[in-house]
Amino acid sequence: MDGVIALYKERGMTSHDCISKLRKILHTKKVGHTGTLDPNVDGVLPICIGQATKISELLMHSGKIYRGAIMLGQSYDSEDLDGKLIEQVAIDKPLTNDQIDHALAKLTGDIMQTPPMYSAVKVNGRKLYEYAREGLTIERAARPIHIDYFKQIKPSHYDETSKTQTIYFEVACSKGTYVRTLAVDFGKLVGFPSVMSDLTRISSGGFDISQTSSLSDIQSAVDAGRIDDVLHPLSEALASYPVYQLDDSRWEIVSHGGFLDKSICPEHSAVVRLDYQQTVKALYKFDEKVGQYRPFRMFLA
């Protein structure tokens, strides 16, 4: 059983909960996720099964797309609604669409972001959220991230009663981006406290939310003996890489971990997928020092 399940993670569950349940459903321990989703966030969570666990890190480094909402007028210590309200300012005059778009545009491209205190980033051997739970704020270094785009997806909503304004967005971002923090940084740009009030991940690891399966879907597929209905093969998970079809002689070399010359990829791509008899067998990476492709990830079993 080798491949990737594009799991729809429901709210209220941790990523670890999902792994634990899938191990029981699939009766295998070779299950790994491709980066966590906070319990209050739903959406795409690619899960690697069997040999596909070897590409977990590769999928983890892919870009991600989220849809969500930012509420202006309130801020929370956790940067989402799960935390404690720490500031509230009435918005008497809501922002215009042009003002919103201008601020969102400032948070695109290559930017620096400071990880939130309620995160799993480690400082001095401890996770930041452990300090936060003790009421401590630790100095932490800003990190580079990349935002492909950050845009409105429908008109904002102004609540006359609470004097808050909610902005609905979509963002495409690099690994390591905290969307909660983007929401807070947006508020700083426009001069109001802000909080991420809703978030769904709609794309990750090359999989779209339309391709996802729930835990109950997966259980039903297993019960019916139709696991292939929810398990995406390695060839699909690695579809973004150029493919070289091995002949018998080169398959012999690859099966023993040997190097291959540049002729396998005229475009000289950094990483090449190697297939033999219509089955993915390896990813090979170009080594500048030796001028050849060498093993990067192997799927020989």
Side-chain angles (χ1 to χ4, degrees), residues 260-279:
L260 296 177
D261 61 57
K262 291 191 287 187
S263 66
I264 67 168
C265 186
E267 300 85 8
H268 297 155
S269 298
V271 178
V272 179
R273 191 183 102 197
L274 304 180
D275 289 11
Y276 179 62
Q277 297 182 346
Q278 310 306 313
T279 302

Side-chain angles (χ1 to χ4, degrees), residues 160-195:
E160 288 276 3
T161 303
S162 64
K163 298 292 183 180
T164 61
Q165 183 176 8
T166 300
I167 292 146
Y168 304 96
F169 68 84
E170 181 174 304
V171 60
C173 55
S174 64
K175 173 187 179 293
T177 300
Y178 286 94
V179 182
R180 288 180 281 141
T181 303
L182 280 180
V184 170
D185 289 343
F186 174 85
K188 291 175 181 177
L189 283 175
V190 297
F192 289 108
S194 59
V195 61

Side-chain angles (χ1 to χ4, degrees), residues 210-222:
S210 64
Q211 298 171 281
T212 56
S213 304
S214 66
L215 286 170
S216 60
D217 292 335
I218 298 163
Q219 181 68 72
S220 296
V222 170

Side-chain angles (χ1 to χ4, degrees), residues 59-301:
L59 298 185
M60 196 181 301
H61 280 79
S62 69
K64 298 166 177 62
I65 303 176
Y66 297 85
R67 282 185 184 157
I70 300 168
M71 183 169 65
L72 292 176
Q74 297 179 2
S75 65
Y76 289 69
D77 59 357
S78 62
E79 302 185 348
D80 60 20
L81 297 179
D82 285 350
K84 181 175 67 176
L85 180 66
I86 55 176
E87 187 180 6
Q88 190 162 4
V89 174
I91 297 178
D92 296 316
K93 183 180 179 181
L95 300 180
T96 65
N97 277 332
D98 285 344
Q99 289 174 313
I100 294 168
D101 291 340
H102 183 68
L104 292 174
K106 285 187 174 182
L107 293 169
T108 60
D110 295 317
I111 62 175
M112 300 296 289
Q113 185 182 73
T114 302
M117 280 303 302
Y118 281 91
S119 68
V121 173
K122 284 190 175 181
V123 174
N124 298 325
R126 296 182 68 195
K127 294 176 180 177
L128 285 174
Y129 67 72
E130 294 174 339
Y131 293 109
R133 287 171 180 171
E134 295 173 6
L136 302 174
T137 299
I138 302 298
E139 188 172 337
R140 59 259 188 226
R143 306 186 302 182
I145 58 170
H146 182 80
I147 308 299
D148 291 323
Y149 63 81
F150 196 11
K151 65 183 183 182
Q152 291 191 83
I153 53 175
K154 63 179 180 180
S156 65
H157 172 71
Y158 179 65
D159 189 316
E160 288 276 3
T161 303
S162 64
K163 298 292 183 180
T164 61
Q165 183 176 8
T166 300
I167 292 146
Y168 304 96
F169 68 84
E170 181 174 304
V171 60
C173 55
S174 64
K175 173 187 179 293
T177 300
Y178 286 94
V179 182
R180 288 180 281 141
T181 303
L182 280 180
V184 170
D185 289 343
F186 174 85
K188 291 175 181 177
L189 283 175
V190 297
F192 289 108
S194 59
V195 61
M196 185 193 77
S197 55
D198 184 64
L199 194 66
T200 296
R201 188 155 74 186
I202 64 171
S203 180
S204 179
F207 294 95
D208 183 82
I209 198 164
S210 64
Q211 298 171 281
T212 56
S213 304
S214 66
L215 286 170
S216 60
D217 292 335
I218 298 163
Q219 181 68 72
S220 296
V222 170
D223 292 344
R226 297 176 59 88
I227 186 62
D228 288 347
D229 288 353
V230 297
L231 186 68
H232 300 268
L234 276 169
S235 57
E236 184 178 344
L238 300 175
S240 63
Y241 293 98
V243 181
Y244 179 77
Q245 299 289 342
L246 296 165
D247 56 22
D248 291 342
S249 62
R250 278 183 162 160
W251 163 239
E252 183 68 18
I253 294 171
V254 170
S255 65
H256 291 91
F259 291 11
L260 296 177
D261 61 57
K262 291 191 287 187
S263 66
I264 67 168
C265 186
E267 300 85 8
H268 297 155
S269 298
V271 178
V272 179
R273 191 183 102 197
L274 304 180
D275 289 11
Y276 179 62
Q277 297 182 346
Q278 310 306 313
T279 302
V280 179
K281 291 297 184 182
L283 291 176
Y284 264 43
K285 190 172 186 177
F286 190 70
D287 187 326
E288 294 284 353
K289 291 182 180 178
V290 299
Q292 291 183 301
Y293 283 92
R294 64 189 303 168
F296 180 48
R297 297 287 190 276
M298 306 293 284
F299 317 107
L300 304 182

Side-chain angles (χ1 to χ4, degrees), residues 5-24:
I5 291 176
L7 178 69
Y8 174 76
K9 189 194 84 66
E10 298 175 7
R11 297 191 182 189
M13 297 184 68
T14 67
S15 300
H16 180 74
D17 291 337
C18 296
I19 294 292
S20 178
K21 289 180 180 296
L22 279 173
R23 283 178 175 151
K24 293 176 182 177

